Amino acid sequence: ALINKHAYTKDMPMEEHRAIATLTKLFDGMDSAVSHGKFLLLDDGGYLTVALHEYFPRHAHSCRAVEQTDHGIQRIEHRLLNRHIPLACPVINCARSHLKKVFESPMIGEAIASSIELSLEQLHPKLAPQVKQAALIGYGAVNQAVAGALLRRGYAKEDIWIFDTAPKVMAAARADGLSTGSKVEVLAHGHLTISS
């Protein structure tokens, strides 16, 4: 076996189980001492990169990783870099790239707001929220774009409520004129609740 089966725990997220299973298949029968080519890991959430370093470090030199989410970069920082586990392969950080922030996030934010409107209308024409208040859990690039999309749909700034675990992010939401509070306070205003 490539890894110790005791590495699996019941409280491990399903994504982490999947990452370990994927890498187990990828490296099955591969001799880490012999270079068999390079692998490109397209990561979403940091699960593959973390699993590679924690469970398959002898194969890391054969890999290159691309992470597309800020949450994934945070996971890599928390699980590896903050514990002084050096990256043994290059990790391309697309999550914090200028192009992603400038172009992708606004498109996703608009798509989320449009999809919610369409889904509610398809369920029932009168299902749209009667009170235009929204609770956004997280205020990263995507939910910032969602807030903008809601403003364009007639929501008032003070009726868009934000909760984020990062104090600096909460301060940024207040600076943008949005309402902030504890998770319980914010969810109480969630006639429409979005977590991103």
Side-chain angles (χ1 to χ4, degrees):
L2 283 167
I3 64 168
N4 183 342
K5 291 189 179 180
H6 298 296
Y8 289 89
T9 62
K10 282 191 253 182
D11 59 344
M12 183 183 285
M14 181 58 69
E15 295 88 354
E16 200 163 331
H17 280 287
R18 287 188 192 128
I20 292 169
T22 298
L23 294 176
T24 298
K25 286 181 190 176
L26 181 66
F27 299 132
D28 188 32
M30 182 177 159
D31 181 352
S32 63
V34 180
S35 177
H36 289 284
K38 303 291 182 189
F39 298 100
L40 180 61
L41 306 179
L42 300 178
D43 211 349
D44 188 351
Y47 293 100
L48 286 171
T49 303
V50 168
L52 175 69
H53 285 78
E54 289 184 348
Y55 302 107
F56 306 92
R58 64 187 178 278
H59 293 290
H61 70 279
S62 297
C63 298
R64 305 293 180 263
V66 177
E67 176 53 53
Q68 68 158 344
T69 68
D70 200 69
H71 184 72
I73 294 299
Q74 291 172 24
R75 179 182 306 282
I76 292 166
E77 290 170 346
H78 174 72
R79 291 279 292 272
L80 301 178
L81 304 181
N82 290 350
R83 291 170 45 209
H84 305 290
I85 299 172
L87 292 177
C89 72
V91 177
I92 300 166
N93 181 349
C94 291
R96 296 176 181 165
S97 72
H98 178 72
L99 289 176
K100 185 173 176 93
K101 300 291 186 199
V102 171
F103 295 106
E104 184 185 56
S105 296
M107 288 188 293
I108 293 172
E110 188 62 37
I112 288 170
S114 295
S115 293
I116 290 170
E117 284 180 333
L118 182 62
S119 295
L120 291 174
E121 187 178 309
Q122 287 174 343
L123 286 170
H124 193 280
K126 295 182 180 178
L127 200 54
Q130 299 305 304
V131 177
K132 287 196 173 245
Q133 279 191 335
L136 304 183
I137 306 302
Y139 195 59
V142 170
N143 263 356
Q144 288 175 29
V146 169
L150 293 175
L151 289 169
R152 289 189 293 280
R153 284 164 172 77
Y155 283 74
K157 281 187 175 187
E158 62 273 8
D159 288 329
I160 298 175
W161 286 79
I162 306 296
F163 171 77
D164 197 290
T165 56
K168 284 170 54 174
V169 174
M170 291 284 275
R174 284 190 296 276
D176 290 342
L178 307 177
S179 298
T180 62
S182 70
K183 189 185 286 187
V184 171
E185 291 169 328
V186 169
L187 287 174
H189 295 278
H191 294 273
L192 176 64
T193 303
I194 300 168
S195 177
S196 175

